Structures are given as C-alpha cells and as structure tokens.
Amino acid sequence: MPWRPSSDRLPLWDWVRARWAAEFPDWPVLTGGCPDGAWSKGTAVADALTRTSARTVIVADADVWTPGTSAAVDEVLAGRARWAMPHALVRRLTPDATLAVLDGAPLDGQPTVETHQGMPGGGLVVVARDVLDGVPMDPAFTGWGQEDSAWALALTTLAGPMWRGTADLTHLWHPPALRRSRSVGSPESLARFRRYVAASGRPDEMRRLVAEFCPTPLEGSPTVYSYRNANTGDEVEYEQPNARLEMLPNWTRIAEPAPEPEPVERPAKSASKDAWLEYARSLAEESDLEGLTKDQLIDRYGKEN
C-alpha cells in the first residue's frame, strides 16, 4: 500500500489495516513511502516491493475496501489473467458515513457522495510479480492524478487485458488532495499521461516509455484470452474478452500455460538446509520435505544425476 501518514487519513488506514488482518491474516501487508516533498505513488509502490518476494502482489490504496479481492487473486494465480481488478463500481462514502464505519457500523448500505465506474488501474489491482517488475507504476507522476490510468494503459499494452470482477469498491471519505480539477492533477501529469495514450496498443513504443524508469520492460506478446468449447474441444484466442463466449455455457476461458520455472542449481554440501529444501522442491512435490534433516535431503537429492 502506498502510504504517507497524515492526521486526516490515519483513522482510515487503521480501519483498512485491521480489515486486511481480519480477512486475510496470512497475507503480509506492506506499506511503501517516498521521500519528503512531492508525493509519488509509483515511488511508494516500488519502495514496498523491496520488502517482498511474493509472486502475486495486490497494489491497494489505503482508504478502500472491496469484498472481491479473493476472486481477482484467483484469476491471476490460475493464469487466466496477468492482472486483475475485483471491482466494477466505486462507492464514495459521505463524511458522516465514513465516521459511522470507523465507529463500527457495517460498510454495506452506507450513503455515498457518488457512485461511479472504477477507473482501470485505480483503487485495488492484483498483478503477477513478473508483470509488475516489467510494468511498474511510473514514479514521474507526482501529486494526485493520472498515474493509475497511465499504468492501466501500460499493463494492457504489454501484459494484456485485465480481468475485471463485479464487486463494489468502497472509498472512505477524506479531504481531497490538491489538484487542478476533478480529472486532472497537474499540467505536467496530464502531459505525461498523453504520452501513454499515444503509446497505447503499440508495445515497442510503450516499452521505450517504460524504459525511462524501468531497466527491464516486460518483453514478449501481451496475454490473449483463450476459450475452449466443451462440446467440440475447439480453442480460439482473442486480444480482448469475447462477451458472447463469456456468456455461453459451452465455452470456458482457459488459463495460459504456466511458465517453466527457473532451474535451481544443486547447492554445495556445505550450504544451508534452506538451500537444500529449495533445491529438493524444484525436483519433487513431496509433502514431507520439511521433516527431513539436511543430511537426509543431501542423501536423497544430492546425487549428480
């Protein structure tokens, strides 16, 4: 979570953090920040990523909640999408409703200032780590505005279309950030966003833009949407979701083949038990590996062949 403490947002963060801990106690929640001065969401996200090696990452604002997160995570884990958003609509609570929620009132059914279609790339995004490493959020966007939309264009162009759920995302109220208008953060951010619009759908140009702040822009072709006919076994591919096939019961969206894992080099006998465990897991799917001693692991998996 990109996060910079402030008196008006601390109560929201306390509530959101407690909700994550209650709903997903095994998921580590990391915050990332940026140096004093102009706020950069991209810098904050990159900062948090330095403290995790997770293969699937949720990038979430610190003032939102949606019950659809698990479904979006499942889509990315299954390989049916390389990035996903669980929500369709954003419900922005009123100040009084937000106070009521912080005092323990249920989130559902609270009055809103407005409800609108969620912007791609904003609020909460689930993304495969290799995609995030190759298509990070641009740190050059500072202040409020345009960084989420630019990121969505880059992800779509280089990683493929997002999977989108139908859940609502609730946004807790706080005083709005400084901005030029409700849609534009600053002239500088707008100008940079227009570069993303120009590169949208053009992978080579988008890679050159991403390369300005990322040493390893995502290579390869964007993900396609693949479908299989349960009656005939026929398979077809589309660059975008096919609304007709999504609705037909005899067509099912299928996952991409999982990438081949990187080979793990056989460690020296003097290496740690953890190194031998990692090596053993690369060769076998046995459930009792944790119970083996280092000597037993070496005896079972340490042969040259």
Side-chain angles (χ1 to χ4, degrees):
M1 293 190 188
W3 167 244
R4 174 178 282 177
S6 64
S7 58
D8 58 327
R9 301 201 186 194
L10 273 171
L12 313 184
W13 164 233
D14 289 340
W15 185 92
V16 169
R17 179 174 53 184
R19 191 69 181 256
W20 280 105
E23 296 283 344
F24 305 105
D26 296 330
W27 293 6
V29 177
L30 303 173
T31 58
C34 62
D36 292 341
W39 168 254
S40 166
K41 183 176 179 180
T43 299
V45 171
D47 175 55
L49 287 175
T50 63
R51 296 187 293 280
T52 179
S53 58
R55 295 182 180 180
T56 303
V57 178
I58 301 169
V59 178
D61 291 342
D63 52 12
V64 301
W65 182 259
T66 174
T69 301
S70 291
V73 169
D74 288 345
E75 292 297 313
V76 174
L77 287 176
R80 289 186 290 268
R82 301 174 81 181
W83 67 293
M85 287 179 60
H87 58 285
L89 295 179
V90 174
R91 301 175 58 252
R92 298 189 178 275
L93 299 190
T94 65
D96 288 343
T98 297
L99 289 175
V101 169
L102 297 182
D103 285 338
L107 199 62
D108 294 339
Q110 295 292 340
T112 62
V113 176
E114 63 179 1
T115 298
H116 59 80
Q117 187 75 13
M119 179 175 57
L124 190 151
V125 176
V126 182
V127 60
R129 179 59 182 267
D130 65 315
V131 172
L132 186 52
D133 287 340
V135 195
M137 184 172 283
D138 191 340
F141 287 98
T142 58
W144 178 93
Q146 279 64 69
E147 71 276 10
D148 293 337
S149 297
W151 190 35
L153 291 177
L155 286 168
T156 302
T157 299
L158 298 181
M162 71 173 174
W163 176 89
R164 186 159 203 170
T166 58
D168 289 346
L169 179 137
T170 301
H171 184 279
L172 302 174
W173 186 90
H174 56 75
L178 292 175
R179 52 193 177 183
R180 182 177 179 181
S181 68
R182 290 197 62 187
S183 59
V184 176
S186 67
E188 295 79 11
S189 290
L190 181 59
R192 189 160 184 85
F193 174 65
R194 284 172 175 162
R195 295 182 62 194
Y196 279 85
V197 173
S200 179
R202 308 168 78 172
D204 289 341
E205 290 193 20
M206 187 64 78
R207 286 190 191 96
R208 283 193 287 271
L209 179 52
V210 171
E212 293 180 8
F213 56 90
C214 172
T216 56
L218 191 67
E219 296 289 345
S221 301
T223 299
V224 295
Y225 279 80
S226 303
Y227 299 86
R228 179 182 295 121
N229 189 304
N231 299 330
T232 65
D234 291 341
E235 295 183 8
V236 293
E237 293 182 347
Y238 296 91
E239 292 183 358
Q240 301 289 336
N242 186 295
R244 176 174 173 272
L245 298 188
E246 293 276 353
M247 297 177 62
L248 293 176
N250 58 317
W251 284 92
T252 305
R253 194 192 310 170
I254 58 177
E256 283 191 296
E260 288 294 326
E262 291 291 328
V264 178
E265 184 177 352
R266 185 168 60 90
K269 289 187 178 181
S270 59
S272 66
K273 179 184 175 181
D274 286 342
W276 276 99
L277 269 174
E278 182 183 5
Y279 179 65
R281 291 193 187 103
S282 73
L283 301 176
E285 297 182 355
E286 300 177 43
S287 60
D288 65 340
L289 292 178
E290 293 282 352
L292 298 180
T293 66
K294 175 183 168 181
D295 288 340
Q296 289 172 325
L297 289 167
I298 293 174
D299 182 64
R300 186 178 297 186
Y301 299 103
K303 297 183 176 65
E304 289 289 343
N305 59 355

